Amino acid sequence: MRIGLFATCLGDTLFPEAVKSTAVLLARLGHDVVFPPDQTCCGQMHVNTGYQREPVPLVRRFAEQFGDASIDAVVMPSGSCAGCVRHQHEIVAERYGDASLRAGVATVKAKTYELSEFLVDVLGVSQVGAYFPHRVTYHPTCHSLRMLRVGDKPLKLLRAVEGIDLVELPEADSCCGFGGTFAVKNAETSTAMLQDKMRNIATTEAAVCTAGDSSCLMHIAGGLSRIRSGTRTLHLAQILGSTRIAPYALTEAAR
Amino acid sequence: MSTFLGMPAAPPRSPYGTGNLRGDRKFPKAAHDELRNEQLRRNLGRATRTIRTKRLGVTGELPDWEQLRDAGSAIKTDTMNRLPELLEQLEQKVTEHGGTVHWARDGAEANEIVARLIRATGSSDVIKVKSMATQEIGLNEHLESIGITPYETDLAELIVQLADDKPSHILVPAIHRNRDEIRQIFLDEIPGVDPDLDNVPAHLAAAARVHLREKFMTTKVAVSGANFGIAETGTLSVVESEGNGRMCLTLPDTLITVMGIEKVLPRYQDLEVFLQLLPRSSTGERMNPYTSMWTGVTPGDGPQDFHLVLLDNGRTAALADTIGREALNCIRCSACLNVCPVYERTGGHAYGSTYPGPIGAVLTPQLAGMDAAKDDPNSSLPYASSLCGACFDACPVKIDIPSMLVELRHQHTEQSGTTAEKLAMKAAAGVMKRPKLFTAAQKGAALGRIAGGPSGTISHLPAPLSGWSDSRDTAAPPKQTFRAWLASAEGAATMSAAAEEGARRTADDHKEDR
């Protein structure tokens, strides 16, 4: 399959390791990974903060970069960006776009996936040959859970990882408090939510808290770092990308 | 195009509602204080967790729960689409059965109507039950100002009233109070209460009962709200847990019901759907303990004088808006409050309106406006959400609250003229639409490594990001972006090695297939 990789603006700039793992993993599974070079951002931050005119060029760019018929699927290591492409690009195109943009949006929407749903639903694999001998807890990010309905697909993938000690996160379904600009506009409420999430993470005694969104992890990691917690965060793709031959070195990576 | 003389250029807009639909501070400011109330946080956390668990239990046991939600949503949507005709039908039926219908454009008008009706009875006391609508219009305050004393009879509303407090939850107005606080409120405010009263719930309830019984037996006028009004039959309905409502609805000579116009249902049969959806969603019960229904007046049985006040107060304005119309589908079950992580931490008072929580954040700006240009506190409500979506999942009539919040945010930014945020958003979009600029900006971001220093973490950021950095470290940006890595020799080598492994795997798979 020819897969168009969308790095997401945040992944490309601040969390390249998660994107590298995604690219390598898909190639290792025998797929042709292409990176349309003019890709930038899905525009989620704009739409969710209340701006729908401004992201029109971003929505158009996304449709142009990934609309090519030679690309069978568009995959990204982010539930919220996939949610934006699938549910919000249409809203922007309907309101401020033209017929060609609406058509382009519909084309990419139909083939856009978050990593775990692509692996499990489209490729039909849950065993990706990963090796990760550490105690891990999984936080299902809100947009993966409720916008994309990924359900237990990430857990299916994690359970199949060799050597992993997967522990359930109490109150896993509650939001970590990130919410994009919510964490800035309502910083104190966001912090209160983060504190409860960190308390739940602490009870698992996991070495790693993983999730399918770098943005939520950035917020959780920021909190864990501030309280000097022993737990660190790692994107789901990085755990799935860790193998016996090239295992992810947890100690080296921990700052 | 020519214009008719006397034809207005734009259709007249319905006025916004008045009353308790606006706080005096924006949400983040109000939340700041509420978040510091440790007792409130504990009370709310415990209470919402309990109701959440109960709700999941009783909704999960119904095999047709999703179909019920669909039915509820469809009935409400149909209702909103033909609200005028249904309301006229309701008026006709109530009148046929000996009731009197009054139409109130806003809170002030409704308050005047109710006051006039009470005065006509000669009573200076009134008992009240189950009414978000009268809370919304500030009826109690109005009655007190003209010398009429209202007595709340719902236990939680009584607690709130005695404490001179405001409700903080749609269904459990005193959710923010614990038993010790309630005991103290009773000791201070109920005349003649046993001074040795302890904090055992049954004893607290008994103390309230003694107080309330006396009011039920001596008060000749009652004011109620309504959960549903049936257009087909003119039947009004109240669902409740304690039976105090039934006392209110049956004992007095005069009953005045104040109902928001959106509470009408087309057919008697529709109750079947909502009497399942409402208790399961709100209290986590299969059926609420008391469901009272009355149709006009019945000679010799119950109140002999019945008045229905149909309240607009911004509802027509909401109806004219696609989001507002969907928000009016709300049946006030409070399921969205109980699952909302923001509500759970801040409580209801932070929203400043009779309607708190996720639905309040949508409904309040619709009913009362949110003039962004004038810095209206209501304009901060659409942002009082992390858009986690739990409210949408819990809503028994499937109101898509997160999408509506996003839409209201858009309306807000369209109203607010040029702001620093808008300029920043435009600038960000300007960079992101040009890949070359984006790549340059990424290089700029990498310079942020300097701010990280040797530890690689940034612990203080300037405004407006200082709220973020108050409780979170930020990792310094990495040396190399993903795209730079992919273009590098290392990236190319890693990807081609992965591709070779992929080709081997595929070949092996094919061998196995054969």
Side-chain angles (χ1 to χ4, degrees), chain B residues 318-336:
Chain B
L319 195 69
D321 181 286
T322 46
I323 306 177
R325 182 170 287 216
E326 194 181 339
L328 291 178
N329 287 357
C330 171
I331 59 171
R332 312 281 190 272
C333 71
S334 71
C336 63

Side-chain angles (χ1 to χ4, degrees), chain A residues 57-112:
Chain A
L58 308 184
V59 172
R60 177 167 285 126
R61 178 160 294 284
F62 188 91
E64 282 167 3
Q65 287 287 296
F66 294 99
D68 195 304
S70 74
I71 293 178
D72 301 310
V74 188
V75 178
M76 57 200 74
S78 165
S80 63
C81 299
C84 176
V85 172
R86 290 231 290 255
H87 299 282
Q88 298 185 325
H89 279 197
E90 216 167 30
I91 297 170
V92 171
E94 282 293 327
R95 180 170 270 154
Y96 295 118
D98 49 25
S100 80
L101 183 61
R102 287 195 288 275
V105 162
T107 305
V108 285
K109 174 187 170 170
K111 58 178 179 181
T112 289

Side-chain angles (χ1 to χ4, degrees), chain A residues 161-181:
Chain A
V161 172
E162 194 190 338
I164 200 168
D165 174 16
L166 190 63
V167 281
E168 195 184 326
L169 177 64
E171 295 179 43
D173 292 3
S174 2
C175 177
C176 68
F178 177 60
T181 47

